[in-house]
Amino acid sequence: NRTFPEGFIFGCSTAAYQVEGAWNESGKGESIWDRATHSDPGWVRGADNGDVACDSYHKYKEDVSLIKSIGFDVYRFSISWTRLLPDGALGNVNKAGVDYYNNLITELLSKGIRPVVTLYHWDLPQALQDMGGWPNPVIVDYFVDYADLAFRLFGDRVKMWITLNEPLEYCGEGYGTGHNAPRVNLTGAADYLCGHTALLAHARAYRLYRDKYADEQKGRVGITLNSEWYEPKNATGEEDRLAAERAQQFELGWFAHPIFSETGDYPPAMKERVMVNSLAEGRSRSRLPTFTPEDVALVKGSADFFALNHYSSYLATPQPDDGGRRGVTSRDNDIGVLKTKDPKWPGSAVYWLKTVPWGFRKLLVWVRDQYGNPPLYVTENGFADRGEIHDTGRQEYLMGYLEELLNAIHADGCDVRGYMTWSLLDNFEWTDGYQVLFGMHAVNFTDPARPRTPKESATLFKQLTSTRRLPTTEEKEMCLRSGICHTRRPDPRAVDTNEV
């Protein structure tokens, strides 16, 4: 069955720091990515930064027209915290920032596109990082104040909210390995503290919305969690099976288990391994923070839907203990899994992204089984290249992943209700700068006007959104050759024998 269910939504995603530009314009404050890219330009490939990026701050109407031309139902974008609150705190609301997001939302709605708004996509106000950032629990109060302001300003028109994007990444890479801003390298300690604050901040913002806004605004609130799929390297080996499951629990379970499981709290395997390793290091308690019973109740059930970002898969086998790592604090040691890629998997412009569509389906089934089949929206999924207009790799990737998504819906009964691809535009890809590109539209970053050029994948998505079914290979090739895509919709009176 290649038809998407009735009511299934299609969209695309971006993030403020990656597309907006105007980094210090009209009262916007400094974020941790502004500070990191300016203080050490060589840290990012090409000495790139997001100062101008796609210049969507000035070109938002053009971007909305691109979204409309493809036929997307929704546009997922993030609010820059420092564009609304330059120092991160209430008391200094930036009117120009409020106007910008009001204008963007109005423009979307005027074109029949629903906004999906992410409150936090990695760009913490530098003023709050100076207080310790996400590992400091006081950030919960600042985030709730910010969320309250956004709900009040925009909630009459925004009906789908994402509190945080990928806490696994901004905690693990920002405060663990130091690979991302704010470049704190305290793996196995600060990353867990960050995650703890993130979960409490999300839950408090969710409860605030339910208590204060939901009855009148009728919106829904979730959190975007990201995960790869971990496949046992040895398909018949019990140790590899356990290693793959452990990696899944440490990655997706870290944030999903406290919110979506029946028991709440961190995954038992995670609590046990971090405790054992912490004690072996001579500590008196676990490096993983402890939730009080009140915290567990606050966090459990604090989402109206499951929002998932997924890109690729790994093979998992137990990490061999050569003695050199024993007693060394790190989250990787806590996980104890060696993650590799199968060289036969098709690659992309970045080492970690291989095309493994079947892993997507397995992950969706895992979420179904672990968390009682919650309503799920894919909020990111996409392919990295160098910006080619004839983006065959992206087309093959998207076709393969959407086919497995349909299998998960029709054959496995997964309650998947929407799909948002990453990304509308080529944009600033964090420490890879503009060397790795995910967009359906190419952007000329050397031209001050930042012109956009549709890629073939944009044409392919026009076919998808008009027919609401996945085209066959023959239909896809005809669409791309002619530029005229069929607009045949499935007959609503037809009986679908594959319907779950």
Side-chain angles (χ1 to χ4, degrees):
N1 190 338
R2 302 179 76 80
T3 302
F4 289 88
E6 186 177 350
F8 190 92
I9 64 169
F10 286 107
C12 57
S13 297
T14 63
Y17 185 76
Q18 294 178 270
V19 301
E20 280 183 4
W23 80 274
N24 63 349
E25 194 169 321
S26 305
K28 179 186 170 295
E30 184 187 27
S31 77
I32 55 175
W33 275 90
D34 296 322
R35 174 68 63 87
T37 55
H38 295 156
S39 61
D40 183 8
W43 168 57
V44 172
R45 288 173 67 181
D48 292 331
N49 58 47
D51 288 4
V52 179
C54 306
D55 198 25
S56 290
Y57 184 73
H58 298 106
K59 296 172 72 73
Y60 70 91
K61 288 188 177 182
E62 182 178 341
D63 292 344
V64 172
S65 294
L66 296 178
I67 298 165
K68 176 67 174 177
S69 72
I70 294 176
F72 284 132
D73 306 300
V74 300
Y75 176 44
R76 176 180 173 240
F77 64 91
S78 76
I79 293 174
S80 166
W81 191 336
T82 56
R83 204 176 288 289
L84 280 194
L85 298 170
D87 59 3
L90 292 178
N92 180 20
V93 178
N94 180 32
K95 183 180 183 301
V98 175
D99 291 345
Y100 170 69
Y101 293 112
N102 271 327
N103 291 339
L104 173 56
I105 291 166
T106 297
E107 187 71 13
L108 287 166
L109 292 173
S110 75
K111 298 289 196 295
I113 303 159
R114 286 169 280 163
V116 177
V117 177
T118 304
L119 290 172
Y120 183 74
H121 200 126
W122 303 9
D123 47 355
L124 187 71
Q126 182 61 41
L128 299 185
Q129 180 55 37
D130 292 342
M131 298 165 54
W134 283 100
N136 184 349
V138 76
I139 299 301
V140 172
D141 293 327
Y142 285 92
F143 180 76
V144 173
D145 285 345
Y146 161 53
D148 193 5
L149 176 67
F151 295 151
R152 177 166 56 82
L153 290 171
F154 312 120
D156 57 328
R157 289 151 293 150
V158 175
K159 303 306 174 187
M160 190 171 183
W161 294 94
I162 304 290
T163 54
L164 309 173
N165 180 76
E166 300 184 348
L168 171 73
E169 296 303 318
Y170 76 76
C171 291
E173 302 293 317
Y175 296 92
T177 65
H179 178 71
N180 284 341
R183 304 181 69 186
V184 174
N185 187 351
L186 285 171
T187 178
D191 38 15
Y192 293 142
L193 294 172
C194 170
H196 204 71
T197 305
L199 282 161
L200 293 171
H202 156 75
R204 284 265 309 277
Y206 175 85
R207 302 297 177 194
L208 170 81
Y209 187 88
R210 302 310 311 168
D211 294 344
K212 190 173 178 180
Y213 296 102
D215 287 348
E216 181 180 349
Q217 295 183 355
K218 304 287 193 292
R220 295 173 296 157
V221 180
I223 179 173
T224 283
L225 306 179
N226 66 299
S227 184
E228 310 292 55
W229 172 250
Y230 292 94
E231 182 74 7
K233 188 171 186 179
N234 177 359
T236 60
E238 179 66 7
E239 286 192 351
D240 283 22
R241 186 192 68 78
L242 292 172
E245 178 64 18
R246 188 163 68 246
Q248 215 69 64
Q249 292 290 350
F250 264 87
E251 184 157 301
L252 187 52
W254 180 5
F255 297 97
H257 199 277
I259 297 171
F260 294 97
S261 72
E262 291 185 4
T263 57
D265 207 344
Y266 292 117
M270 188 176 182
K271 291 169 69 175
E272 179 184 346
R273 284 189 64 92
V274 180
M275 175 64 85
V276 167
N277 285 358
S278 298
L279 296 177
E281 293 158 15
R283 300 170 187 264
S284 60
R285 59 187 175 276
S286 175
R287 288 178 272 104
L288 184 68
T290 303
F291 284 121
T292 66
E294 292 77 18
D295 291 338
V296 171
L298 175 78
V299 176
K300 190 169 67 144
S302 61
D304 297 322
F305 52 87
F306 197 113
L308 177 69
N309 290 357
H310 172 76
Y311 288 90
S312 192
S313 295
Y314 282 94
L315 299 174
T317 193
Q319 176 75 57
D321 186 0
D322 60 8
R325 285 178 297 274
R326 189 174 291 121
V328 175
T329 299
S330 81
R331 193 167 64 88
D332 279 348
N333 277 2
D334 293 336
I335 301 170
V337 174
L338 183 64
K339 307 168 185 176
T340 57
K341 298 282 187 181
D342 188 327
K344 296 192 293 293
W345 294 342
S348 72
V350 65
Y351 72 94
W352 55 264
L353 205 169
K354 305 283 189 181
T355 300
V356 196
W358 52 262
F360 187 26
R361 179 180 178 181
K362 287 192 173 188
L363 180 62
L364 292 170
V365 171
W366 190 87
V367 172
R368 178 200 71 183
D369 293 344
Q370 288 279 317
Y371 307 120
N373 204 14
L376 186 147
Y377 294 87
V378 178
T379 43
E380 287 181 29
N381 174 247
F383 182 83
D385 61 18
R386 304 295 182 192
E388 297 89 341
I389 301 299
H390 180 58
D391 55 348
T392 307
R394 177 170 294 103
Q395 295 168 50
E396 296 301 326
Y397 177 98
L398 293 171
M399 289 276 284
Y401 277 69
L402 285 167
E403 186 166 5
E404 293 295 349
L405 181 148
L406 282 171
N407 288 336
I409 293 172
H410 293 304
D412 305 323
C414 296
D415 189 8
V416 185
R417 301 187 182 184
Y419 174 91
M420 300 162 219
T421 192
W422 185 273
S423 174
L424 173 66
L425 304 167
D426 287 344
N427 56 55
F428 178 80
E429 185 50 33
W430 309 113
T431 55
D432 283 317
Y434 300 103
Q435 313 301 308
V436 172
L437 300 166
F438 280 84
M440 288 183 298
H441 296 86
V443 177
N444 184 343
F445 293 103
T446 62
D447 186 331
R450 296 296 194 271
R452 284 89 157 109
T453 304
K455 302 179 186 178
E456 288 186 356
S457 56
T459 303
L460 183 61
F461 252 101
K462 287 182 184 180
Q463 166 108 339
L464 192 67
T465 59
S466 65
T467 63
R468 315 306 275 193
R469 62 184 289 276
L470 195 63
T472 64
T473 301
E474 293 76 17
E475 289 170 336
K476 183 194 92 167
E477 290 173 353
M478 185 181 300
C479 165
L480 294 175
R481 275 200 311 272
S482 66
I484 303 171
C485 297
H486 296 292
T487 56
R488 184 186 66 202
R489 291 182 180 271
D491 185 350
R493 296 166 297 179
V495 176
D496 181 4
T497 56
N498 293 313
E499 188 175 355
V500 175

